[in-house]
Amino acid sequence: MPAPSTGPDNPLALVVQSSGENQGPVLRSFDHSVPPPITRLALSWSRGNTLRVSLFRQRLPTSSESSADSAIAFAANDGKVGGRVVELKVSNGGSEIDDALWRRISYGSASPFALLQNRKNSVLALSKVPIASLSNVEWWEYVMEYSKEIGSLLGDSKQFPSSMIDDPRRILKDVKESTGLKAGWELIEIFYADKLSQAWLPERLVDWLADYDCIFSQTLTTIHSKLVDIQNELIVFQATEDNPKYWEGISSALAVGWLDIVVKLLRLHGSYLPDQIGLREIENGLVEAVAILISKMPRLRPKLVAAQLGDCYKNKPDFSAAREKWRGQLTKLECSSFWIQCGHNQTREGLRNLIRIMLGDIDSLSASTYNWPEFYISQLLFVRPFTVGMEGMYNLAQKCIQLKPVSRLHSLLGMLIGILGENTEVVLAECSRVFGPWMVAHAIELLTAGSDQSQFILQEERHNLGGLTIEELNRIVYAQVLASHPLTWQLAPIYLISCAKLGMGFMEMLLYRQPVQHYQGLLKNLEFCRLYDLDHVNSSIMKIAGMHHWKHGRKGFAIFWLQQAQDHVCLNKIAQQLFDFVGKSVSCESFKQWEGLIELLGSNAKTAGGLDFLHKYRDFKKFLQQVHDGKTNDAARQAVESLVKLMKNPSTPQRFWLPLLHDSVKLLMWSDGPLLNVSQTNLLLNKLQELSVAKLRPDYVEADLPPQALSSVRLALATNLGRAILEE
Amino acid sequence: MSKSVATFDHGTLCSEWNYCAQRLATGSINGILAIFDALDPDSSSFNCSNRTKVHDGSIAKVVWIPPEFGDAVACILDNGALSLWEEVAQDGQSPHWKLCKCFQMKSRRVLDIQFGFSSTSLKLVAAYSDGYVRVYELQDPLELANWQLQAEFQNVIDSVSKFGKASCSSASVSWIPQRTNNQLLSFVLGYNSNIAQLNSSKVWEFDQAHQRWLPVAELASPGDNGDQVYAVAWAPNIGRPYEIVAVASQKGIALWHVALHPEVDGRLPVEKVTLLSCHEEEVWQMEWDMSGMTLATTGSDGLVRLWQSNLNGVWHEEAVFQPTSST
């Protein structure tokens, strides 16, 4: 599958951007390996949004050029390729995830998406009010269930950083490759979907940064990158407390709330070594006192996960009281006389810096963090833990950005600013630009669930989009990406069905453009048509299949599919072709073959006028064959009945009257007695009379019969009539 | 980002993919019609499966017939004739391409053709070098040999006017893409000729009641002065309340909104929504994607450009692809 794209690789991404400013086209080159010159290009859209470009070396001769000129030009190209078709994925793969993983994500996310849509439809059907206005707790649970399921597809939840038991000098866990996609998804989940997290947003952000700070290391200096350096040094060097980087690492980790790392690092302090007992007791006591205070830090959150440290408080009053008490302990420790007795300068200053950080000293926090998100988190943790409301969080973020600007804005940070600024369009545009159509199509479910304003923006019909909503547009864009690959196109209907306006139109086009030559694929395609009541496309597909088989000599298959398509025009034309066999000798070898075709054409004569005749003619011919094979009088009698039926039937074409009668000469002169009564014979004679009148008309078609056919029929009829009169 | 899916024989002049992008037909300077197929339906590597000599001169353009009528292509030949070829097979034998029909008119060349069909009929619109459009209708869906000339008219909005001695170097036809609920037969046509009135693109619609073709809209602004039209492309409509048609002339690519329903005078209200400047001299081809939201174009600057509209309805150039060769 062409992976949902990232960045400027995805032209469709910008469809969803609200900005009217022209940022200029993205220029990309593609290699075609055709020797120059290229004289002409041709374009064709393939599946979904794959573009095929034909490159030609040969120039079309102009009308003034002679054929000799053309021949010379042609000879000049001899021995080289004449050009090539190159397939361009206009929505290119994400740089961090390969195609196979994208397919897994695509398949994995389709079912939670469909389930959520079903639930949404049933809730709407029951309540008749917009989803966002529902105070239904159950609905939030559904959205979270969806979000968690999608989140789990994007990678395992990472507990970074965390302490390791086996090696005390390894402070960072080897994390699996973190994806920006997962980080982005979680960010949206925190702010839009998880209603329960609204009360402790700052702590949710602390956890989020702990998981994904490593992603920013690719473009920025981060605490994570610094800790990686320190860890590498710790493995080599002893006497850690003499190393300034050790104290920098501890204070940085503390500033962003990675308490378990801080405590682990503190316990690597040299004063804990067995050979130091009796020498550095005060120093060791201070280190341990700080470590205890850190591990007892009050936190406004319902619970801690894994190795996280601190004391949890679910409500603000309890938290506030505990925090005051804790800060009192910090202040008391800061003023303690034990610091004078601490002989190790770096330890004394390092520990006091940690206390200042915990007391919310801005300078210390600023010095310990490397970019605005880290600084922002440190402020939320130690300075303004009671920050509530998006406005407050946004204003704080703005201040942090001013104080610690980053040289290159990471895409996730752009998204975070958009979220804090409550600007749905920016969030969506960033989402689309960075993560592509998959992310947008799925994240909109969270955005619309979490905010009335977002819901309004995303579900408002837009005239400029031909009546589409942004929500629907993004589903269609994603469906087009899915349609680009034979292994994923079947997922596209799941997203199209949830686009009330234009989804079905797109689905019709998608299904119509699937190849019909392969039986399994054809059946699958028809199954979709049935599922979504697309009768018109259904019959088009069956007609295409029928015609393909007809032209390729598989007439039985062809008739089957044309009947399924109820294509009466074609079926009648086929019946017309079978007429050509009428009047041929009964011993004709093709009898069996066309008899089979008539059988296939079925007995539903009303659907096709010509078929009625053919069926009766088939029966007649069968009985006649039996007569010729020497079968009994019964066969002859049945043959005559069929003949009379045929001649009475108005759908029997006039041009076949004489051949039919000519075939029946033997029956008319049946040795065991007349098979036709007087009125039946008169009927046939009348037909013969009509035929002689018709002969005078210019459009009369002469049957391909021996010249004496007419006279032999007339004689046979006269014989039969005479004998019938005698018998009656 | 890109990969080669097929390699042409030398001398190849034109190519066209079929409706499901699983077969490719090419025409060459020595009159060879080549068909490319993939071995596996999921594969995107195509090899030549058949070569048929269809003409002594060159093939200027190939166009697939709608799949409801089999696997067949129409070839516009350098002598101005049009020949129809279809793939057929007898029981158990391998398929071959046979000539069904040749349209040839003295001293008039076919410049462009396109097929359009409704549930009842297949129509072929051919734009000729004498400025006349001829619409042929297939008589028997099973026999591509039986065509009847249904209409003949010039590409002018005022059906009374007639322009003689037109000299047309190229033309471009585009049918309204097929839709379920739309049995409308309609196409847009523009000319590159020496007569201003012929050039501007007109939307033609088949009047079922009177069995005639009527010009229902002209896609030209007062300042266009009958500019020569290089290419036209009617966008697929998956449910918009208006149609979009792209028209390329020397001024650039104009995008037109065409209303779905006519006014009292029978004309369709039209509005030029944008004029996109591009491709230096001439636009060779324009192709809409299946959603009708992205337009791909190519022209004499040798680049491929993608155009899209943003949420405010402002069209802009989204991406440019430049072909390069490492050999």
Side-chain angles (χ1 to χ4, degrees), chain A residues 320-365:
Chain A
S320 185
R323 186 164 182 266
E324 280 314 306
K325 188 181 167 196
W326 179 70
R327 284 170 65 91
Q329 287 171 325
L330 285 171
T331 314
K332 192 175 165 192
L333 180 62
E334 193 183 24
C335 303
S336 161
S337 58
F338 287 113
W339 296 109
I340 303 162
Q341 298 172 40
C342 176
H344 193 263
N345 192 35
Q346 282 102 326
T347 300
R348 191 173 61 242
E349 287 312 310
L351 291 176
R352 294 182 80 160
N353 187 43
L354 295 184
I355 292 171
R356 281 197 296 278
I357 285 172
M358 286 188 278
L359 287 171
D361 179 72
I362 296 289
D363 293 337
S364 299
L365 290 174

Side-chain angles (χ1 to χ4, degrees), chain A residues 11-12 14-20 25-35 39-47 51-52 54-56 58-60 70 74 77-78 80-90 463-466 470 473 476 480 486 502 505-506 508-510 512-516 518 536 544 547-548 550-553 569-570 573-574 577, chain B residues 1-15 17 19-22 24 29-30 41-42 46 58 60 67-71 86-89 91 95 139-143 178 180 183 236 238-242 284-285 287-291 293-294 296-298 302 304 306 308-313 316-327:
Chain A
L12 284 169
L14 289 189
V15 164
V16 294
Q17 286 200 2
S18 60
S19 162
V26 180
L27 179 65
R28 290 159 69 184
S29 56
F30 65 91
D31 182 45
H32 51 75
S33 305
V34 178
T39 58
R40 202 165 177 95
L41 269 64
L43 307 173
S44 178
W45 288 96
S46 174
R47 304 172 197 252
L51 185 66
R52 286 181 182 157
S54 299
L55 302 112
F56 304 100
Q58 181 67 54
R59 187 168 51 85
L60 187 68
S70 306
F74 178 47
N77 278 336
D78 204 19
K80 291 181 180 173
V81 297
R84 193 157 275 151
V85 184
V86 175
E87 194 170 79
L88 301 177
K89 284 183 180 176
V90 298
H463 177 70
N464 288 329
L465 300 176
I470 296 182
L473 170 70
I476 287 179
Q480 202 165 351
L502 282 73
F506 190 93
E508 282 176 11
M509 215 166 290
L510 177 67
Y512 178 80
R513 291 188 182 196
Q514 298 303 319
V516 301
H518 300 276
H536 177 80
I544 294 170
M547 193 58 82
H548 180 78
W550 182 258
K551 298 279 184 179
H552 287 82
V569 178
C570 278
K573 291 288 180 187
I574 290 173
Q577 289 197 2
Chain B
M1 183 201 88
S2 66
K3 65 172 172 179
S4 168
V5 296
T7 303
F8 296 142
D9 297 340
H10 53 268
T12 300
L13 282 171
C14 54
S15 70
W17 289 92
Y19 75 105
C20 59
Q22 287 293 291
L24 176 69
I29 194 157
N30 53 350
D42 293 341
F46 296 84
S58 56
E68 284 84 348
F69 299 88
D71 287 68
E86 77 169 330
E87 187 186 63
V88 287
D91 300 318
Q139 298 297 294
D140 177 349
L142 298 177
E143 290 297 331
Q178 199 198 6
T180 305
Q183 290 302 321
I238 56 172
R240 275 188 311 260
Y242 49 83
W284 288 334
Q285 195 193 354
E287 285 285 305
W288 289 97
D289 74 337
M290 64 193 293
S291 66
M293 293 196 267
T294 305
T297 64
T298 185
V304 177
L306 298 184
Q308 286 182 338
S309 155
N310 66 15
L311 295 186
N312 299 326
H316 60 275
E317 189 172 15
E318 185 54 55
V320 180
F321 295 88
Q322 182 168 34
T324 57
S325 178
S326 55
T327 56

